[in-house]
Amino acid sequence: MTYIAWEDNASSSSSSSQEDIEANLCFMAGKNSEVSSENSSTSFNSANYSSLLQAFHETHEEANRLALSNNKLKGLNNWLEGRVKQLEMKS
């Protein structure tokens, strides 16, 4: 496990020394990070996987629909740009 603490001494202290102006950053790493990762992987279950897989499929299908729509709109835009150029040339 990693803990991050951030303190901006300029806002938390009335002293004006350089050390008080600089922000402090402190990282602390836990000794048993392997144990926590093992515990989290055992909490994985089939229901979580199924719901994530279903969400992925729905998102993928929506992305495909949007890509198709985008391609159609690009084609229409190109046609309209060409039509505008034709009309400008006639003027």
Side-chain angles (χ1 to χ4, degrees):
M1 219 179 268
T2 302
Y3 299 93
I4 300 174
W6 181 272
E7 180 181 347
D8 185 358
N9 284 335
S11 63
S12 65
S13 174
S14 60
S15 175
S16 62
S17 70
Q18 181 64 27
E19 292 175 1
D20 291 335
I21 294 173
E22 294 177 357
N24 294 323
L25 181 60
C26 177
F27 294 98
M28 298 183 298
K31 292 181 181 178
N32 58 356
S33 59
E34 287 182 26
V35 173
S36 63
S37 65
E38 289 174 11
N39 290 340
S40 65
S41 66
T42 58
S43 66
F44 177 78
N45 62 35
S46 164
N48 287 341
Y49 177 77
S50 296
S51 64
L52 287 173
L53 185 60
Q54 180 63 30
F56 169 78
H57 286 298
E58 290 171 3
T59 304
H60 188 259
E61 289 173 9
E62 180 66 14
N64 286 337
R65 283 191 296 271
L66 290 173
L68 182 62
S69 176
N70 187 39
N71 287 337
K72 287 179 182 178
L73 291 172
K74 280 182 181 179
L76 177 60
N77 187 50
N78 289 339
W79 181 82
L80 289 171
E81 286 176 345
R83 186 69 179 129
V84 167
K85 286 180 184 176
Q86 288 176 352
L87 292 173
E88 287 175 343
M89 291 174 69
K90 287 183 178 181
S91 307

